[in-house]
Amino acid sequence: QDNKKGYDFFLMYLTSGKSSLFADSEIKSSKDTMIMRMANDPGTVDLLTVSSYESTGLYSMVGNSLLSSIRDEESGSYAWVVNDKYSLAESYDIAEDQLSVVFHLRHGVKFHNGKEFTAEDAVYSISRYNNAKYSFIDFDNLSALSDYELYVPFTKIDASAVISLGGIVMCCKEAIEADPGNTLNWSKNFIGTGAYKISKWIDGDSVTLKANADYWAGKPYIDTIIVRFISESTTAFMEMETGNIDVLDNPNWSSVKAVDAGDYEGLIKHFSAIDRAAMHLGFNCSENSPFSNLLVREAVCYAIDREELNYGAYEGVAETCDTIVSLVYEDVRHYGDAWPYHRDIEKAKELLEEAGYPNGFNAVIINYGDSADVLANQILKNQLADIGINLSIESYDTATWQSIMSEQTQGWDLWLRNYTSTGSFTKWIKNTVTQNTHVSSENDPSFGELYELCNQALGTLDRNERASVHEIIQDRWFQEWLYTYCINQRTLHILYADNLQGVERYGYYWYMLNAYFD
């Protein structure tokens, strides 16, 4: 919850490790160097300019933001929290009118150059994000109330404001201003506050990180982390087999299956967790489309065997989920046994007949060419054929596919697409679902109420008010709206050395303070 004095949170470790706020000085790592594999060199840790899988991972080890991203074990969803060993804010106060927030910053945090982190650095860092995405910030009046109090006024109430602020890259104002044209400030010479600092960056080859002895939560147990950029997963796994890599991010599924089968017992272990993205089947709900009828949308959901689809097209990269959106959003409900749609061909046919399509109809699903999605579309084609819906698959380049989906209401009926974001899922419903399913109050009167519920949730920073709206939407989604149908949640896989303990991984973030070799 957003509260004023902290957050009760849960930590999920790759392996069993210490879970205290500060490092345990009694732990001694048996090895002083950890070697990680990443697929690509992002060239920067500046998430304003390059927000990639690898850039986020590197930044999370060498820098901190106001909040840190963790996974709530109880709900399974991601959360942004204050007052843990990776966040620069100890707490925050939201104004009564919800048009500003004051972050109370941690004392004694030092940048890698020895300068103390203050609210002036936070003001400078946030000011760099003066763009449309952050239009809710009143940048003209953003200020430091004191060395440890950051005042952020808003131009409007935005439910995701605190979370959006929480992930901004915090940088050293003095270091950046000293050489503003030097892009190395964001790679080889980046000055952060993280548990590790950049020692050497060899373009296209590797980054060497050294433990920050002055890290406010204690010095990391492992002295050196070498991140090697190896694009080919098979090559990376061969390196791991010989002990030259300790952490292999994004391995081949064949390697994961070999580890799970026990072929590398005592040498390599496997960890998996949810990724940020969820795959949705979207319906064209525009006027005169068969899918503007809720009964037809329900029939399709009854015709789909999600387990067969996920195993056949997404084995290893996704798991069948029981939520209506990705778990990265707040308040996402696990339906469990209450999930309403399991493959039932007779039920699907009854619904189609009731909707006026006793013999089915022809439909088009648009695809942008990803190999797994192409296979998924073919599986969907076969499944829907069982209820008389004859599905044609039309593939396009990504830009054309997106244009058709958002700008055209004719010539297509369905799409498969991954979506990810953070904060309130009502923003996704209001914007993305409206734009890409073309539902409106004119062709679906019930949508007007959903739209207002979305506005209600997006118009408050009060956590409990948003939660109550999120509950209403999830209570009624399947019975009244169902403009998209969640197919699966993407999965992250990591292979790691059997003797490595205490690594934390949340989404794209790597937290290494408590990592050690036993």
Side-chain angles (χ1 to χ4, degrees):
Q1 298 183 36
D2 294 345
N3 61 43
K4 296 183 177 180
K5 299 302 177 186
Y7 190 103
D8 294 327
F9 61 89
F10 302 83
L11 292 179
M12 177 182 66
Y13 287 86
L14 265 99
T15 58
S16 58
K18 298 287 182 177
S19 60
S20 59
L21 183 60
F22 293 91
D24 186 341
S25 59
E26 295 182 3
I27 290 181
K28 303 296 181 185
S29 179
S30 63
K31 287 175 59 177
D32 61 8
T33 299
M34 176 202 300
I35 302 176
M36 296 179 62
R37 176 263 184 164
M38 288 186 181
N40 301 292
D41 181 353
T44 182
V45 294
D46 185 6
L47 306 187
L48 175 62
T49 57
V50 177
S51 184
S52 69
Y53 190 86
E54 290 84 6
S55 59
T56 305
L58 282 174
Y59 171 69
S60 62
M61 291 187 280
V62 300
N64 301 119
S65 297
L66 295 174
L67 309 182
S68 58
S69 176
I70 68 158
R71 184 170 183 259
D72 185 328
E73 284 275 25
E74 190 171 89
S75 68
S77 62
Y78 284 96
W80 289 86
V81 302
V82 294
N83 200 32
D84 78 336
K85 57 185 177 294
Y86 299 107
S87 62
L88 295 176
E90 289 187 328
S91 63
Y92 57 83
D93 294 306
I94 297 172
E96 227 175 279
D97 63 5
Q98 301 187 35
L99 284 172
S100 65
V101 61
V102 173
F103 287 94
H104 304 282
L105 306 181
R106 192 176 300 284
H107 294 224
V109 175
K110 291 185 177 181
F111 285 103
H112 298 152
N113 60 3
K115 181 189 176 297
E116 187 173 10
F117 169 75
T118 69
E120 285 294 343
D121 295 296
V123 169
Y124 178 82
S125 300
I126 293 171
S127 295
R128 298 179 61 244
Y129 285 70
N130 192 347
N131 57 44
K133 180 180 177 182
Y134 293 86
S135 62
F136 64 87
I137 299 174
D138 178 1
F139 287 96
D140 291 337
N141 293 299
L142 177 68
S143 63
L145 301 180
S146 71
D147 283 349
Y148 306 107
E149 290 179 299
L150 169 67
Y151 172 69
V152 185
F154 303 140
T155 59
K156 60 183 179 181
I157 297 174
D158 188 308
S160 301
V162 172
I163 291 175
S164 298
L165 286 164
I168 286 177
V169 169
M170 291 290 117
C171 59
C172 179
K173 177 183 178 182
E174 180 181 288
I176 301 298
E177 287 188 332
D179 195 1
N182 184 359
T183 58
L184 297 183
N185 282 323
W186 296 104
S187 57
K188 297 177 174 66
N189 298 336
F190 177 70
I191 303 298
T193 59
Y196 284 86
K197 50 189 174 182
I198 296 171
S199 172
K200 183 191 302 183
W201 193 316
I202 303 173
D203 292 338
D205 181 80
S206 63
V207 174
T208 300
L209 310 177
K210 288 291 186 179
N212 178 10
D214 295 323
Y215 190 61
W216 61 268
K219 182 181 178 181
Y221 308 135
I222 296 174
D223 181 70
T224 303
I225 296 176
I226 299 174
V227 180
R228 296 176 58 190
F229 303 122
I230 304 174
S231 59
E232 176 50 54
S233 296
T234 301
T235 302
F237 187 67
M238 290 172 63
E239 291 278 326
M240 190 170 210
E241 288 177 299
T242 57
N244 293 325
I245 290 178
D246 301 300
V247 178
L248 199 168
D249 191 23
N250 195 23
N252 281 336
W253 182 238
S254 59
S255 301
V256 172
K257 289 199 291 187
V259 172
D260 286 347
D263 296 352
Y264 296 90
E265 188 172 355
L267 295 174
I268 302 173
K269 290 182 179 179
H270 169 221
F271 166 80
S272 65
I274 62 166
D275 198 349
R276 300 169 61 83
M279 174 70 74
H280 292 259
L281 176 68
F283 302 99
N284 183 345
C285 298
S286 62
E287 191 176 5
N288 299 322
S289 166
F291 295 98
S292 63
N293 189 326
L294 175 61
L295 295 174
V296 175
R297 301 197 294 274
E298 288 184 306
V300 167
C301 295
Y302 275 116
I304 293 174
D305 184 335
R306 294 188 305 153
E307 286 72 21
E308 178 188 52
L309 193 156
N310 290 328
Y311 181 81
Y314 300 109
E315 183 184 13
V317 299
E319 295 179 359
T320 305
C321 57
D322 65 346
T323 59
I324 68 168
V325 290
S326 170
L327 284 166
V328 299
Y329 295 104
E330 61 186 11
D331 303 325
V332 177
R333 175 192 299 175
H334 288 274
Y335 285 81
D337 292 339
W339 186 263
Y341 300 109
H342 300 280
R343 185 162 167 84
D344 187 334
I345 297 302
E346 292 308 312
K347 178 68 174 177
K349 288 180 177 179
E350 289 173 9
L351 289 167
L352 278 185
E353 183 170 1
E354 185 180 349
Y357 299 97
N359 300 315
F361 54 86
N362 297 326
V364 174
I365 187 167
I366 54 174
N367 176 69
Y368 69 97
D370 179 86
S371 58
D373 290 346
V374 169
L375 182 54
N377 286 335
Q378 185 59 52
I379 295 172
L380 277 173
K381 175 183 174 73
N382 295 339
Q383 292 180 350
L384 296 186
D386 291 338
I387 62 170
I389 295 179
N390 302 308
L391 196 62
S392 298
I393 303 170
E394 296 186 1
S395 296
Y396 301 90
D397 62 84
T398 304
T400 303
W401 171 71
Q402 290 178 331
S403 175
I404 292 172
M405 185 167 46
S406 62
E407 298 174 13
Q408 298 182 25
T409 60
Q410 303 295 318
W412 68 274
D413 299 285
L414 300 166
W415 47 255
L416 276 175
R417 186 175 186 178
N418 270 314
Y419 283 102
T420 182
S421 185
T422 54
S424 174
F425 60 78
T426 49
K427 181 178 289 187
W428 177 72
I429 291 174
K430 182 180 175 182
N431 297 333
T432 309
V433 170
T434 304
Q435 183 177 12
N436 293 337
T437 70
H438 303 283
V439 61
S440 67
S441 298
E442 287 72 31
N443 58 27
D444 186 346
S446 68
F447 176 71
E449 187 177 356
L450 175 61
Y451 197 84
E452 287 307 311
L453 285 168
C454 291
N455 285 337
Q456 184 179 334
L458 293 171
T460 179
L461 273 75
D462 185 292
R463 184 68 183 77
N464 293 326
E465 288 182 12
R466 293 201 305 273
S468 64
V469 175
H470 296 157
E471 279 298 297
I472 292 170
I473 292 173
Q474 290 175 104
D475 280 342
R476 298 168 56 184
W477 180 256
F478 292 117
Q479 293 79 24
E480 299 181 44
W481 299 310
L482 194 62
Y483 305 124
T484 64
Y485 184 52
C486 202
I487 299 296
N488 61 44
Q489 182 84 40
R490 290 293 169 138
T491 308
L492 293 168
H493 296 280
I494 302 98
L495 300 179
Y496 59 100
D498 183 74
N499 62 338
L500 179 59
Q501 306 290 333
V503 175
E504 300 166 70
R505 172 68 182 270
Y506 310 104
Y508 297 169
Y509 291 80
W510 290 97
Y511 297 145
M512 296 297 190
L513 178 64
N514 287 340
Y516 65 96
F517 291 94
D518 61 18

